[in-house]
Amino acid sequence: MALSVLAATAPIGGCSNPVPKPAQKPKPAQKPKPAQKPKLTAALRGQITSQRPGPRLGTRRLRAAGRRLGISPWSGADAVRTTLVTYRTERDAGVPGLASAQVFIPSSGVRADAFAVVAHGTVGHADRCAPSRNRGWLSYLVVPLLARGYAVIATDYAGLGTPGVSGYLHGPDTAHSVLDAARAMDHVLPELAGRPFVVVGHSQGGGAALAAQGLSESYGPSGRLKAVLPIAPGHTYMDRSDWVDV
């Protein structure tokens, strides 16, 4: 019985037209994946991408600012020249970014033992809010340092005044801007390259200063951060919500 079934189903004459297969729909073309930006190497952190002179601060303005802060008589330089810079930094997850900053240099010379990095408090999220873009800005954090002869670099943080979004209250993101500002200072004032530095920050900047302290050894520049002054530091609690018992 099995043989007869085989004979009945075998093709006659040894050949037959094959049953056509249904036409396959063409596969949609795959969109090319966007090229990922390479991570920023340590050698490129703090590299200056733009630099231009900023406004000069004269004796009258410095002394007036000093009086408002209780620094009278004024003990600092008679004038301070400023430089506006943009430097490379690393955003969260290793993405390359840019940060802008203003450098303050006492005309009578700077201290050779150290310099200062200033981290500002909340000023707003629009690019025009970046402190280095505000020509009327003279931070209460900067003036006391200038009075003691320190050169100062005040960072705006990446994404504020530069492409991207500001990492507001994001510890690692703002810490990288602070630490790379110290590297940028090495390029602006080569005589201070490799010198120790201190970080002074208020509110948002206080949180950035503490984050910089925590990351200084792993992110660098290692061994150079000697002191941190966080004033009323601000930070986010969202990643610590498990501590809250309600």
Side-chain angles (χ1 to χ4, degrees), residues 95-130:
V95 176
L98 293 173
S100 52
Q102 189 167 15
V103 181
F104 299 82
I105 307 168
S107 58
S108 57
V110 300
R111 294 178 58 147
D113 54 344
F115 62 90
V117 179
V118 162
H120 66 79
T122 302
V123 293
H125 296 292
D127 284 342
R128 66 177 180 272
C129 298

Side-chain angles (χ1 to χ4, degrees), residues 2-133:
L3 287 175
S4 62
V5 172
L6 278 172
T9 57
I12 300 173
C15 65
S16 65
N17 294 327
V19 178
K21 295 181 178 180
Q24 295 183 349
K25 294 182 180 180
K27 295 182 179 180
Q30 293 184 348
K31 295 182 180 179
K33 294 182 179 180
Q36 293 184 346
K37 294 182 179 180
K39 289 189 176 183
L40 199 69
T41 62
L44 293 178
R45 295 171 185 165
Q47 184 184 63
I48 301 293
T49 61
S50 70
Q51 181 174 339
R52 59 186 175 87
R56 179 181 178 274
L57 307 176
T59 306
R60 190 173 181 179
R61 187 175 176 190
L62 289 168
R63 290 186 176 180
R67 281 195 299 271
R68 289 194 295 270
L69 295 170
I71 307 173
S72 184
W74 176 251
S75 56
D78 289 337
V80 171
R81 63 184 176 92
T82 67
T83 301
L84 303 173
V85 300
T86 304
Y87 60 92
R88 298 185 188 278
T89 188
E90 186 175 307
R91 305 300 305 268
D92 188 33
V95 176
L98 293 173
S100 52
Q102 189 167 15
V103 181
F104 299 82
I105 307 168
S107 58
S108 57
V110 300
R111 294 178 58 147
D113 54 344
F115 62 90
V117 179
V118 162
H120 66 79
T122 302
V123 293
H125 296 292
D127 284 342
R128 66 177 180 272
C129 298
S132 69
R133 292 193 177 192

Side-chain angles (χ1 to χ4, degrees), residues 123-232:
V123 293
H125 296 292
D127 284 342
R128 66 177 180 272
C129 298
S132 69
R133 292 193 177 192
N134 183 354
R135 290 187 176 273
W137 180 79
L138 187 59
S139 173
Y140 54 93
L141 301 174
V142 172
V143 173
L145 296 165
L146 295 176
R148 289 160 179 78
Y150 287 102
V152 178
I153 181 167
T155 180
D156 293 330
Y157 312 127
L160 184 60
T162 50
V165 179
S166 174
Y168 184 65
L169 295 182
H170 190 293
D173 193 80
T174 52
H176 290 174
S177 292
V178 168
L179 294 169
D180 288 333
R183 291 180 165 107
M185 186 68 113
D186 292 348
H187 298 287
V188 178
L189 292 178
E191 62 267 33
L192 294 179
R195 296 290 184 180
F197 65 95
V198 299
V199 176
V200 180
H202 174 236
S203 188
Q204 176 191 1
L210 289 174
Q213 181 185 40
L215 293 174
S216 62
E217 290 304 310
S218 60
Y219 184 82
S222 177
R224 293 177 56 190
L225 177 56
K226 296 303 181 183
V228 170
L229 178 57
I231 304 169

